[in-house]
Amino acid sequence: MIKVLFLLIIVFLYCHSVNNIFKELKYILAISIFIFLQIILSLLNFYSNLEFIQLKMILTLLVPTLIIIFHFQHNKNSFIKISYKNLTLIHFVRIPIEFILYHNYKEKLIPKIMTFEGLNFDLFFALTTLLIYYLLNKNIIHKKILLAWNIFGLIFVLNIVIIAVLSTPTPIQKFGFNQPNLMIFNFPYILLPSFIVPIVIYSHIISILKIKHKI
């Protein structure tokens, strides 16, 4: 049931991002092929084998990073067409994701530090999305408040990314030695760091740039 919920989040985020951010066919194809390959590799237990896991994770994170960089370089002028409401809507997925993380903590697949009972405060930020989206719909939110909200949102997501990386069984592991971050090595959770997190971060960056440059 939890995995079904996670896959529904992936479907929603995929549809929403290709309709509002990555509209060009080449980016849609790149994202689609990458997601498909990640699913196949995780089903084949490619990531479950911890040999060369650092290299595997670097390659996994490198592809979405490159897609975003290329998209940013060639589509900066098109950001004006993306509404703040559509960018904010992306962050609703962070609410169920936090409960999925908590479930995986109970299943002993991640350490407590990665949950809202530890040092992951993203749930508290995610809940504010309800208010921000309401204010955007009413057109009664000041741009400075929206800017601050996006900056804090970026800080919160980067916080959990750092904790997750340092909880993964690699030579740089600092947390969760008794119960390390093994969740992302299982299907379909590899798509959390390789798809969901990059989209969430990119949406914050686009919103911040739109506000700062008044586009």
Side-chain angles (χ1 to χ4, degrees):
M1 189 66 178
I2 294 295
K3 288 187 177 181
V4 172
L5 173 60
F6 185 84
L7 288 171
L8 288 175
I9 291 171
I10 294 296
V11 171
F12 163 76
L13 200 57
Y14 172 84
C15 294
H16 188 74
S17 60
V18 299
N19 283 324
N20 294 284
I21 300 177
F22 305 99
K23 294 183 178 181
E24 295 180 52
L25 181 60
K26 58 184 177 182
Y27 295 110
I28 296 174
L29 284 174
I31 293 170
S32 302
I33 292 171
F34 178 69
I35 289 175
F36 178 75
L37 287 175
Q38 289 296 91
I39 291 173
I40 295 300
L41 287 173
S42 61
L43 287 173
L44 292 174
N45 297 318
F46 176 73
Y47 296 106
S48 297
N49 182 353
L50 299 183
E51 188 176 4
F52 304 116
I53 192 60
Q54 280 183 297
L55 179 60
K56 292 176 183 178
M57 294 309 298
I58 288 172
L59 291 174
T60 295
L61 299 174
L62 182 62
V63 174
T65 301
L66 289 176
I67 292 174
I68 285 174
I69 290 173
F70 281 115
H71 182 267
F72 177 77
Q73 289 179 334
H74 296 95
N75 291 272
K76 284 183 282 189
N77 294 331
S78 68
F79 289 165
I80 191 173
K81 299 177 183 178
I82 308 174
S83 72
Y84 291 115
K85 286 193 294 184
N86 283 333
L87 290 169
T88 301
L89 191 61
I90 287 171
H91 302 290
F92 277 103
V93 305
R94 292 160 77 166
I95 299 174
I97 286 295
E98 291 308 313
F99 290 100
I100 290 173
L101 286 175
Y102 189 74
H103 170 80
N104 277 274
Y105 157 62
K106 291 297 185 180
E107 293 294 314
K108 302 187 183 303
L109 291 173
I110 63 171
K112 185 177 182 179
I113 195 174
M114 284 180 60
T115 73
F116 51 77
E117 287 190 350
L119 293 179
N120 179 2
F121 308 111
D122 202 52
L123 175 62
F124 308 107
F125 170 82
L127 291 172
T128 66
T129 305
L130 300 166
L131 174 61
I132 297 299
Y133 192 75
Y134 171 80
L135 295 176
L136 282 170
N137 272 317
K138 294 295 183 179
N139 199 28
I140 55 174
I141 186 170
H142 196 281
K143 289 290 180 66
K144 289 184 178 179
I145 295 176
L146 190 59
L147 175 62
W149 182 79
N150 276 284
I151 291 173
F152 277 111
L154 193 55
I155 292 171
F156 277 108
V157 72
L158 290 176
N159 171 63
I160 182 54
V161 167
I162 292 169
I163 293 172
V165 169
L166 295 179
S167 299
T168 305
T170 66
I172 63 170
Q173 183 177 2
K174 300 296 181 184
F175 308 122
F177 290 100
N178 295 326
Q179 190 171 315
N181 175 19
L182 300 176
M183 168 185 167
I184 58 172
F185 303 134
N186 299 302
F187 170 81
Y189 300 122
I190 186 63
L191 292 173
L192 178 57
S194 63
F195 178 64
I196 295 178
V197 170
I199 295 296
V200 166
I201 291 175
Y202 195 33
S203 64
H204 275 311
I205 292 173
I206 294 173
S207 293
I208 291 169
L209 290 175
K210 279 172 64 68
I211 297 167
K212 292 291 287 183
H213 297 284
K214 299 178 181 180
I215 59 176

